[in-house]
């Protein structure tokens, strides 16, 4: 029988950029976390069962029956023209006035981010990103060999003074920053939102230092109080490239997102998309187009907001009641996530297998930093489990933390290991 070595025989053939592409240590845990007895507070999966699935099924069936020759054919790399017009209508809810010709439809916002990084970043270029930052973005930046410099955030979002300090230091060092990447509204993973006052400051600072802004905004319409926040792109059409997605407001499985970019950048994005995938799925695009033109999508978003608010409240109530002393957490006003900080001496990455053994899952904070930081943090997601499951998951997690604190007090705190240097490649459980 032929023997296969576990050693990668192609290791000396890969491009240098592949060195930063490493599998997440957490992904193996998610195979266990998917078991029904485990309460998963890990994955950022939208609750698509809340959609009118029967009507959507009929809608897609009718779409193929009526227009199958078009629906099942190739499309353009820029995306369906009618869908791009509808996307502009959606963005108006956040104050954006845009021309459909400046929209590029993508396979989710993740592909838009990949294309932008591809056309702007050379190996060694600096990309600024929030600390913590979306794990999928960090994986993309690592794949293109960017040097990620983190800028801290707090309860009010990205800290303007810290951004100015980082840009000033990098300028003194003679290093060029290609762009700032930010999720300003209901941030993934921290759940915080950039305040209105800070939004103006961030744009002023980036204009002063001539830095582009990549505004990633998949959660912007899922706020629990009041009208949607005004997007950064609404106040600076030339410096801000806006990324949107229907993954959270319709369905992630359709894989339809978009980028709104200045006209010259839009042209490069279309060329990059053509070289990567030739064209997008016409079926997915026209399904979204049909949904936006025939279904009460605004009412469905309101339903999502009510449902996710109920689940957010269940998580916050459980955390307030059950978490041991020394733990702190954010209180999001929208989106999917709570960011929890554990007491000194605890390590959420080392603790994750023990939590799985107690039938609860979370995402350790290390996945959201490019340098291995984040060991005292974890991301908790409330979007998918039912409220009673959220409460039970928090109860189990509190028990794990209490035991970890007892061990710390008996044997001393955990000394963090050195950072591995790689960036976890995200799977569905890390989005």
């Amino acid at each position: 029988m032929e023997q296969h070595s576990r050693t990668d025989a192609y290791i000396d053939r890969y491009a240098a950029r592949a060195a930063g592409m490493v599998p997440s240590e957490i992904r193996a845990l998610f195979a266990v976390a998917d078991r029904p007895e485990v309460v998963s507070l890990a994955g950022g999966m939208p609750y698509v069962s809340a959609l009118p699935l029967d009507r959507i099924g009929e809608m897609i069936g009718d779409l193929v029956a009526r227009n199958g020759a078009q629906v099942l054919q190739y499309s353009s790399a820029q995306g369906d023209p009618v869908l791009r017009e509808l996307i502009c209508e959606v963005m108006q809810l956040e104050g954006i006035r845009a021309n459909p010709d400046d929209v590029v439809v993508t396979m989710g916002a993740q592909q838009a981010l990949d294309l932008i990084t591809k056309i702007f970043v050379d190996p060694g270029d600096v990309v600024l990103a929030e600390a913590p930052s979306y794990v999928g973005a960090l994986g993309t930046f690592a794949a293109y060999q960017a040097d990620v410099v983190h800028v801290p955030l707090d309860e009010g979002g990205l800290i303007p003074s810290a951004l100015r300090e980082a840009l000033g230091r990098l300028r003194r060092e003679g290093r060029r920053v290609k762009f700032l990447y930010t999720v300003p509204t209901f941030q993934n993973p921290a759940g915080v939102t950039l305040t209105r006052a800070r939004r103006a400051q961030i744009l002023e600072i980036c204009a002063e230092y001539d830095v582009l802004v990549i505004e990633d905004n998949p959660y912007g319409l899922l706020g629990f109080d009041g009208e949607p926040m005004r997007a950064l792109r609404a106040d600076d059409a030339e410096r801000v490239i806006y990324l949107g997605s229907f993954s959270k407001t319709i369905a992630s499985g359709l894989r339809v997102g978009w980028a709104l970019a200045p006209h010259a950048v839009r042209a490069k994005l279309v060329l990059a998309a053509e070289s990567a995938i030739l064209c997008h799925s016409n079926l997915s695009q026209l399904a979204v187009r049909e949904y936006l033109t025939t279904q009460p999508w605004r009412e469905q978003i309101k339903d999502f907001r009510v449902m996710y608010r109920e689940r957010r409240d269940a998580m916050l109530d459980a955390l307030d009641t059950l978490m041991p002393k020394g733990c702190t957490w954010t209180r999001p006003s929208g989106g999917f996530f709570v960011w929890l900080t554990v007491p000194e001496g605890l390590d959420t990455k080392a603790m994750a297998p023990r939590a799985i053994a107690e039938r609860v899952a979370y995402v350790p904070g290390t996945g959201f930093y490019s340098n291995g930081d984040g060991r005292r943090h974890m991301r908790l997601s409330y979007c998918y489990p039912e409220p009673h499951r959220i409460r039970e998951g928090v109860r189990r997690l509190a028990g794990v933390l209490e035991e970890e604190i007892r061990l710390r007090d008996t044997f001393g705190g955990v000394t963090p290991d050195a950072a591995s240097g790689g960036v976890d490649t995200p799977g569905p459980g890390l989005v």
Side-chain angles (χ1 to χ4, degrees):
M1 179 181 294
E2 182 181 359
Q3 298 295 315
H4 295 280
S5 171
R6 298 180 64 187
T7 303
D8 189 344
Y10 305 95
I11 192 69
D12 61 344
R13 301 171 185 261
Y14 296 130
R17 59 182 171 272
M21 301 167 66
V22 297
S24 168
E25 298 175 22
I26 307 306
R27 293 169 90 178
L29 295 176
F30 286 152
V32 181
D34 285 339
R35 295 177 180 173
E37 68 271 19
V38 176
V39 178
S40 179
L41 306 176
M45 297 178 294
Y47 193 73
V48 296
S49 295
L51 290 165
L53 298 177
D54 54 345
R55 296 206 305 270
I56 291 176
E58 293 174 3
M59 179 198 77
I60 293 176
D62 290 343
L63 177 65
V64 175
R66 293 193 323 266
N67 302 302
Q70 178 191 7
V71 171
L72 303 178
Q73 188 55 271
Y74 286 118
S75 66
S76 74
Q78 185 170 358
D80 177 71
V82 176
L83 177 58
R84 288 188 276 116
E85 291 177 4
L86 294 168
I87 286 170
C88 289
E89 292 182 17
V90 172
M91 291 188 293
Q92 286 181 16
L93 299 176
E94 296 169 316
I96 296 174
R97 299 292 182 266
N99 188 319
D101 196 40
D102 291 330
V103 174
V104 179
V105 179
T106 58
M107 294 178 64
Q110 182 68 31
Q111 190 202 27
L113 182 60
D114 183 271
L115 296 176
I116 287 167
T117 309
K118 182 178 183 178
I119 67 174
F120 278 109
V121 173
D122 290 315
D125 282 345
V126 174
V127 169
L128 293 178
E130 295 154 329
S133 193
Y134 167 50
V135 63
L138 297 180
T140 295
F141 302 151
Y144 288 99
Q145 299 172 278
D147 182 6
V148 175
V149 174
H150 282 300
V151 181
L153 49 72
D154 59 18
E155 295 83 357
L158 189 68
I159 301 172
S161 60
L163 175 62
R164 183 181 292 279
E165 189 281 329
L167 286 168
R169 173 172 52 82
L170 291 164
R171 176 177 283 183
R172 291 190 297 273
E173 294 172 358
R175 306 187 68 191
R176 186 180 182 187
V177 177
K178 285 298 179 75
F179 54 75
L180 165 69
Y181 171 77
T182 177
V183 184
T185 307
F186 317 133
Q187 199 248 13
N188 180 1
V192 301
T193 296
L194 187 64
T195 65
R196 286 182 171 83
R198 285 190 180 183
R199 288 173 188 245
Q201 295 177 56
I202 296 300
L203 290 175
E204 290 172 3
I205 293 168
C206 288
E208 178 183 342
Y209 283 87
D210 193 24
V211 171
L212 289 173
V213 178
I214 310 302
E215 178 181 17
D216 194 355
N217 195 34
Y219 310 99
L221 299 183
L222 296 177
F224 305 145
D225 304 294
E227 296 301 313
M229 289 283 286
R230 185 174 175 85
L232 295 171
R233 171 58 175 71
D235 293 318
D236 194 334
E238 293 303 316
R239 190 169 304 280
V240 179
I241 300 174
Y242 178 97
L243 309 185
S245 174
F246 292 111
S247 290
K248 311 305 186 292
T249 54
I250 304 180
S252 55
L254 290 171
R255 306 309 304 135
V256 177
W258 71 90
L260 172 64
H263 198 73
V265 176
R266 186 275 294 165
K268 293 291 187 184
L269 288 175
V270 172
L271 293 173
E274 287 177 345
S275 69
I277 59 168
L278 187 62
C279 68
H280 307 288
S281 165
N282 228 12
L283 176 59
S284 291
Q285 290 186 81
L286 298 188
V288 172
R289 187 182 81 180
E290 192 77 359
Y291 180 87
L292 294 174
T293 54
T294 67
Q295 304 297 314
W297 61 271
R298 290 178 176 83
E299 294 304 314
Q300 182 61 52
I301 289 175
K302 290 179 182 178
D303 291 344
F304 278 138
R305 291 170 63 185
V306 171
M307 180 188 67
Y308 291 136
R309 179 173 186 164
E310 179 186 12
R311 296 175 184 212
R312 186 277 313 263
D313 290 347
M315 176 166 283
L316 292 182
D317 289 346
L319 291 171
D320 289 339
T321 303
L322 299 170
M323 275 295 114
K325 184 179 180 180
C327 295
T328 60
W329 51 89
T330 58
R331 308 186 77 86
S333 57
F336 287 2
F337 306 113
V338 167
W339 187 243
L340 188 143
T341 303
V342 300
E344 288 279 1
L346 271 59
D347 184 336
T348 63
K349 186 174 182 178
M351 195 176 77
R354 300 164 200 162
I356 292 290
E358 295 300 322
R359 297 170 297 136
V360 62
Y362 61 84
V363 183
T366 50
F368 304 100
Y369 293 82
S370 66
N371 54 8
D373 286 349
R375 290 177 179 269
R376 283 188 58 207
H377 305 284
M378 65 175 71
R379 191 191 74 179
L380 303 178
S381 172
Y382 51 79
C383 54
Y384 194 76
E386 298 282 354
H388 74 279
R389 292 282 285 171
I390 292 172
R391 296 186 185 97
E392 175 60 19
V394 172
R395 186 192 68 78
R396 296 176 187 178
L397 179 61
V400 173
L401 285 166
E402 288 168 354
E403 179 62 23
E404 291 296 308
I405 291 170
R406 283 193 288 270
L407 290 171
R408 179 204 64 184
D409 293 344
T410 302
F411 300 106
V414 174
T415 301
D417 296 328
S420 65
V423 174
D424 287 349
T425 301
L430 286 176
V431 297

